[in-house]
Amino acid sequence: MIATPREIWVYLAASPLLHLTMTLAAYLAGDYLFRKSGQKAILNPVLIAIVILVSILLLTGTSYESYFEGAQFVHFLLGPATIALAIPLYAQLPRLKRVFGPSLFALAVGSLTAIISAIGIGWALGASRPTLMSLAPKSVTTPIAMGIAEKIGGLPSLTAVLVVTTGIIGAVIAQWLFRLLRVKDEAVQGFAIGVAAHGIGTARAFQISETTGAFSALAMGLNGLATALLLPILIRAWGGQ
Amino acid sequence: MSNRIVLIFTILLACQLAGEVVARLLRLPVPGPVLGMVILFVALAIRGYVPDDVGAVSGGLLQNLSLLFVPAGVGVMLHAGVLADNWLVLSVALVASAVVTIAVTGLAMTWMKRVTSAGDEAEERP
């Protein structure tokens, strides 16, 4: 006896297999369009994948929870990927030593700029406190940002969305901004992308050059650490007034 | 070789696990994966080199880093309400903050490099 399409759908909708496959396929489709367009920054693979997946989930009436049952296997890899950042960090150690002072200075200035500009603009435009706290860590990679948001009273899942959006924005605007500001040094470009736009920016930076990518990965790791240390202190100082 | 891949993943996961345990044990404000990254970095510094295949596995993971953000990004559908109410504030804050952060970081590093004349390699002429 042959199963009805409905029976098959019931099985697929309940198993992680379908949504895991869909996540990878949507990303490949995004990546294909991105390459096909001659790497136009606006056709960001993550953005395309999200649009495809949200459309499918809304059309089929699937909840985010049941989607995440499958997608969690991909999401989980963010943890090990964060650990793996230690490797390019270590590999770039000799270069980093040469620009150690400027890097540390740029990290301190950039990390504070990311936090203060986001909270400042949000506050000036009247965002609520939980929204501000969700917004504050948006420049660092997802697992770190979610951990910070939880500690300072934001909504971790909203933070995740804001982090991804920031990454896409950073990846889209970076090269345009560097042309405008005449920043040509690859190490500097990479560092600025990594501080502002974490992993999605880093993926973009690797397309510019190996050096840009490595410095972006470095800055992403350092800014994760810096923001995790700085933000709770800043919030305490700010909240205490 | 295939066994090395398992070993490398075990090392990454063990570092993450150690980071999570230490962060909770000492009640540090730093997320576990960040501590795990520091642990691996220190281990590599003590060892003195990165084995080729370790570099290859981590390189593969980092090359496809943006894929890993897709599930979190799809979470946009959970916050349709908050986003609809705050879309203007959030868009302005995110775009402006990204522009300012990239510009300030890039210019700060360029300026400091010039002042300290560090990173002489590939230094452009004025």
Side-chain angles (χ1 to χ4, degrees), chain A residues 23-24 27 46 49-50 53-54 57-58 62 64-65 67-68 71 74-90 93 95 98-99 102-103 105-106 109-110 113-114 117-118 121-122 125 127 131 135 138 141-144 148 151 157-158 160-162 164-166 169-170 173-174 177-178 181 183-185 188 191-192 195-196 198-200 203 206 220-221 225 228-229, chain B residues 8-9 11-13 15-17 23 28-42 44-50 54-55 57-59 61-79 82-83 86 88-114 116 118-124:
Chain A
T23 303
L24 298 185
Y27 180 77
V46 181
I50 292 170
L53 289 166
V54 170
L57 297 179
L58 290 178
T62 310
Y64 181 68
E65 286 74 16
Y67 163 74
F68 200 75
V74 173
H75 182 77
F76 177 78
L77 289 176
L78 276 169
T82 304
I83 311 299
L85 283 176
I87 294 160
L89 222 74
Y90 177 75
L93 198 56
R95 288 195 75 154
R98 235 169 315 166
V99 288
S103 297
F105 177 69
V109 173
T113 304
S117 62
I121 295 166
L125 296 177
T131 307
L135 190 60
K138 51 84 195 162
T141 188
T142 308
I144 300 176
I148 298 173
K151 288 204 164 81
S157 64
L158 178 59
V161 172
L162 299 176
V164 174
T165 313
T166 292
I169 295 169
I173 64 169
L177 204 53
F178 292 139
L181 299 171
V183 173
K184 287 175 191 143
D185 187 297
V188 174
F191 205 85
V195 166
H198 57 86
I200 300 177
F206 269 114
M220 161 185 174
L225 196 59
L229 292 170
Chain B
I8 293 161
F9 254 92
I11 291 171
L12 293 179
L13 291 174
C15 287
Q16 189 180 351
L17 189 64
L28 296 176
V30 188
V34 180
L35 277 182
M37 180 179 74
V38 174
I39 292 169
L40 181 58
F41 183 83
V42 171
L44 288 171
I46 291 170
R47 187 136 190 216
Y49 74 100
V50 181
V54 175
V57 171
S58 71
L61 203 54
L62 294 177
Q63 288 264 302
N64 295 294
L65 197 57
S66 57
L67 161 68
L68 311 186
F69 291 89
V70 172
V74 175
V76 70
M77 54 190 286
L78 279 181
H79 296 286
V82 181
L83 296 172
N86 295 287
L88 188 62
V89 182
L90 291 174
S91 314
V92 172
L94 290 179
V95 173
S97 179
V99 171
V100 172
T101 305
I102 293 178
V104 167
T105 310
L107 294 177
M109 190 162 166
T110 307
W111 178 74
M112 202 58 170
K113 270 184 81 171
R114 204 166 294 151
T116 59
D120 298 310
E121 35 135 23
E123 192 75 271
E124 328 140 45

